[in-house]
Amino acid sequence: NILAIKGSPKKDGTSSTITDDLIKKIENAKNKIKTYDLNSLNIHGCQECYSCRNNKTDKCIVNDDITEILESAKTTDVIIVSTPVFYSDISAQLKCFIDRTWSYFGKTGTSADHLPRNRTLVFILSYGYNNPDVYNQLYEKYKHYFNLFGFNNCYLIKAYGVQYNSSNVININEVNDLLEKVSKKINDDV
């Protein structure tokens, strides 16, 4: 009922580490958690073949390691996505997954209303700038798409000031407070 998707190319990168910290806080007997490290998978981008729409299905015709993740994301109660910011956007690995969710619109061609509603999104960003608000629009952009898929309870955890080969997160206390708050909410709701 909980799906974690790591978009970092580094297994020990900041966004991946924060994701692991959150998973530790929500691991219990009632929470079934599936974690995927996109960088270690065989994944391909959307081919814009329109098979999902032409066949009126919400299944992507591309058969790779994202196929299982797409199926899990359709019904999960909680989705955790994490990514470093590269060139003012999410990682290519996470973008590949998100592009493939276009298949969710295949049943109708215009909406993904068949997917469950009132689900939870935790969006984890890490970046080098010291400005806490520099990438807020990035979160808002991707939150919009996840809202279309029924993820209406959304949380942003951002770690900033993290430079190359540095583990120093300027706002580490804020990150830890948010991890506590979000994990409590997930454990109470799921």
Side-chain angles (χ1 to χ4, degrees), residues 1 73-79 112-122 146-155 185-186 188-190:
N1 56 359
K74 285 191 236 178
T75 58
T76 192
D77 298 313
V78 176
I79 192 166
D113 290 344
H114 64 286
L115 298 176
R117 305 283 111 187
N118 297 316
R119 301 187 290 160
T120 298
L121 163 70
V122 180
F146 281 96
N147 286 165
L148 295 173
F149 307 142
F151 295 98
N152 305 101
N153 308 309
C154 303
Y155 301 93
K185 186 73 173 143
I186 290 171
D188 289 347
D189 291 349
V190 176

Side-chain angles (χ1 to χ4, degrees), residues 81-92:
V81 294
S82 63
T83 181
V85 175
F86 295 144
Y87 285 95
S88 299
D89 211 335
I90 61 175
S91 69

Side-chain angles (χ1 to χ4, degrees), residues 118-135:
N118 297 316
R119 301 187 290 160
T120 298
L121 163 70
V122 180
F123 199 81
I124 299 171
L125 286 177
S126 64
Y127 54 91
Y129 287 111
N130 293 337
N131 180 338
D133 300 320
V134 71
Y135 291 121

Side-chain angles (χ1 to χ4, degrees), residues 133-159:
D133 300 320
V134 71
Y135 291 121
N136 287 351
Q137 85 289 353
L138 188 60
Y139 165 67
E140 292 299 326
K141 175 173 78 170
Y142 289 104
K143 180 177 86 165
H144 167 75
Y145 293 110
F146 281 96
N147 286 165
L148 295 173
F149 307 142
F151 295 98
N152 305 101
N153 308 309
C154 303
Y155 301 93
L156 171 62
I157 299 174
K158 54 187 172 182

